[in-house]
């Protein structure tokens, strides 16, 4: 029988469980380019800089913000622009999910996985409870967790279920689902994410509930590891935002290392 530990680990999905450099981020750039009539396509660094502001976890909203900012550089005033958010979202989804609503054929189909199911099984065997809190849509998150990783109805709070990060409501909801039916309340919560917004979520959770130990663990998404300078700068950004430790891959957060983070 697996011995229960006092720790919960909650994972973000994009940039942690799957590489979205060629999918979500590519769809974002495609969308901005489309709605600026080909005049501007944000670079990976542009996207990182926007997300480092800590409030653009939603890629649909980030796409719209890029479009607004570009048009402002062209002398247009934001309050006079009438961007249709739903049209932006629809176009984004044709790139990300694809053009077939039943059998997705977009960028999502080719996302590299960043962990193996055996890693999650190791956590279970160590008595560590785990689940997912992501800003991805439930359809997208379920696609990677169930269809790609083969997980059976994992605990998941997705975009439709809670306010966007850094609001910690979704993190609290994930914990509630994981503790449902448990005899005791688990004292330590680790949230694993790849963005400033993820780390801010942990900070806000700590403010609202100081009865637990809250630990932010940063993971470097693949696109920032292409150069040492980018990797190091991104690492410092996550640490400054509250990460206690930053790993190159989520599977480095082993059952052996987890108790040491609590010290």
């Amino acid at each position: 029988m697996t011995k229960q530990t006092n720790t919960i680990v909650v994972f973000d999905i994009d940039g942690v469980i799957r590489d979205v450099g060629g999918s979500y981020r590519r769809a974002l750039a495609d969308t901005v380019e489309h709605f600026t009539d080909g005049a501007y396509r944000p670079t990976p660094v542009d996207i990182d800089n926007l997300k480092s502001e800590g409030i653009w976890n939603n890629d649909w909203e980030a796409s719209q913000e890029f479009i607004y900012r570009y048009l402002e550089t062209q002398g247009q005033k934001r309050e006079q622009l009438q961007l249709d958010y739903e049209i932006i979202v629809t176009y984004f989804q044709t790139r990300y999910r694809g053009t077939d609503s039943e059998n997705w054929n977009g960028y999502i189909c080719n996302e590299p996985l960043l962990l193996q199911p055996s890693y999650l099984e190791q956590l279970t065997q160590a008595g560590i409870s785990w689940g997912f809190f992501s800003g991805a849509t439930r359809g997208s998150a379920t696609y990677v967790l169930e269809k790609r990783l083969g997980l059976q109805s994992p605990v998941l709070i997705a975009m439709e279920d809670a306010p966007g990060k850094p609001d910690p409501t979704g993190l609290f909801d994930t914990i509630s689902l994981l503790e449902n039916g448990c005899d005791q309340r688990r004292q330590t919560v680790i949230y694993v994410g790849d963005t400033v917004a993820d780390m801010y979520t942990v900070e806000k959770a700590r403010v609202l509930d100081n009865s637990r130990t809250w630990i932010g663990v940063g993971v470097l998404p693949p696109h920032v590891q292409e150069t040492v300078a980018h990797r190091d700068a991104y690492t410092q950004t996550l640490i400054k935002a509250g990460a206690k430790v930053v790993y190159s891959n989520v599977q480095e957060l082993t059952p052996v290392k987890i108790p040491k983070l609590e010290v």
Side-chain angles (χ1 to χ4, degrees), residues 59-132:
D59 285 332
W60 299 339
E61 294 176 357
S63 299
Q64 179 175 254
E65 182 63 17
F66 270 124
I67 297 164
Y68 270 129
R69 293 188 187 188
Y70 171 76
L71 294 175
E72 286 176 326
T73 69
Q74 304 305 300
Q76 301 186 55
K77 295 186 182 299
R78 183 179 295 230
E79 54 272 17
Q80 295 175 342
L81 293 168
Q82 295 188 345
L83 297 180
D84 189 319
Y85 181 68
E86 294 305 320
I87 290 178
I88 291 172
V89 171
T90 298
Y91 181 83
F92 184 107
Q93 294 295 74
T94 66
R95 311 303 291 172
Y96 181 64
R97 291 188 177 184
T99 54
D100 186 333
S101 61
E102 297 299 321
N103 299 293
W104 293 353
N105 56 6
Y107 300 151
I108 189 174
C109 300
N110 301 309
E111 293 170 330
L113 298 177
L114 300 175
L115 64 66
Q116 299 301 315
S118 57
Y119 165 73
L120 297 172
E121 181 58 30
Q122 289 171 21
L123 297 184
T124 299
Q125 290 301 316
I128 297 166
S129 184
W130 51 268
F132 304 91

Side-chain angles (χ1 to χ4, degrees), residues 153-170:
S153 301
V155 168
L156 166 67
I157 296 294
M159 177 193 287
E160 299 91 335
D161 306 318
K165 292 178 278 190
D167 187 311
T169 301

